[in-house]
Amino acid sequence: MSRTLKRILGAAIALVMVFAIMPVSAFAEMSAEAIEEAKLRSLDTAWAPLALVEQEALEANLQPEEVTEAVYKAAKDSALVSNLTIVDEDTFGFTVNGMHCLYDYVARNVQPAGDYKPSVDAVNDKGNGPTSADVLLVGPYYGYDGNFTDQYEQEAESIAAVTGGDVVILSGHAATGPAIAEAMETAGVVLWDSHGTQYGTSSYLCLTTNTGITSEDYAN
């Protein structure tokens, strides 16, 4: 075989290897995003029947502990739910694909949004409380996910009404890292209303961007 032919074959083999590697890299990037999306979808799928059972129990005028028991049974029967832990007669915890969840009857049905009135004296006890009266609400998925309600906004307003401060809301694409960091410097209370997920022993709050979660995000 001539030296020229060897060079041509070598170049051809290198080119084939480049094209062979490209789809693998693309697949690796997509698979990470697919895993993230699948985990969040499984979370929604797991909660849907629990919410339905809760609604049916409420419409049947069952007692709080009976409602919680009905939802607990639905969670126990779900193939997506694991690590069920009873906290009290109205509350229990569980996991879905490693993501920690909590069902709390009181928080969901007894205390309406906006009714929480924190004690300013308790907040500032011994001078250890925040010096700012302002309340920051971060909701990166507001406007992009119909599952979110205005409950956290009403909670923020109720807290600010007691502290006498202003409410700052960073939602959607306005909830960027720099904007959140700057706003937190002047906020006495910070509320997060965002999707969460967990991998291993680390948990994350998901922020939204124009491009979604990229391979660079995962690398970092």
Side-chain angles (χ1 to χ4, degrees), residues 36-156:
E36 172 89 7
E37 293 175 359
K39 286 172 71 72
L40 294 179
R41 282 197 303 269
S42 68
L43 192 62
D44 292 336
T45 301
W47 268 100
L50 306 189
L52 179 60
V53 168
E54 178 189 48
Q55 184 60 38
E56 292 175 346
L58 292 172
E59 293 175 354
N61 296 316
L62 298 184
Q63 294 299 311
E65 61 271 18
E66 295 176 314
V67 176
T68 304
E69 183 178 355
V71 179
Y72 179 88
K73 184 179 183 302
K76 188 175 181 179
D77 293 340
S78 173
L80 295 174
V81 171
S82 58
N83 301 317
L84 276 162
T85 304
I86 297 177
V87 178
D88 54 43
E89 63 180 10
D90 296 324
T91 312
F92 65 88
F94 58 94
T95 60
V96 178
N97 282 337
M99 294 177 284
H100 292 271
C101 304
L102 185 73
Y103 175 85
D104 188 324
Y105 176 89
V106 175
R108 290 171 63 89
N109 302 294
V110 176
Q111 181 175 289
D115 279 1
Y116 178 63
K117 295 294 187 292
S119 167
V120 175
D121 292 335
V123 170
N124 293 305
D125 183 35
K126 297 181 181 179
N128 294 326
T131 57
S132 172
D134 293 341
V135 180
L136 169 64
L137 170 58
V138 182
Y141 275 86
Y142 283 5
Y144 302 98
D145 189 331
N147 292 324
F148 284 92
T149 67
D150 60 354
Q151 177 179 350
Y152 273 66
E153 182 175 351
Q154 293 181 34
E155 296 288 0

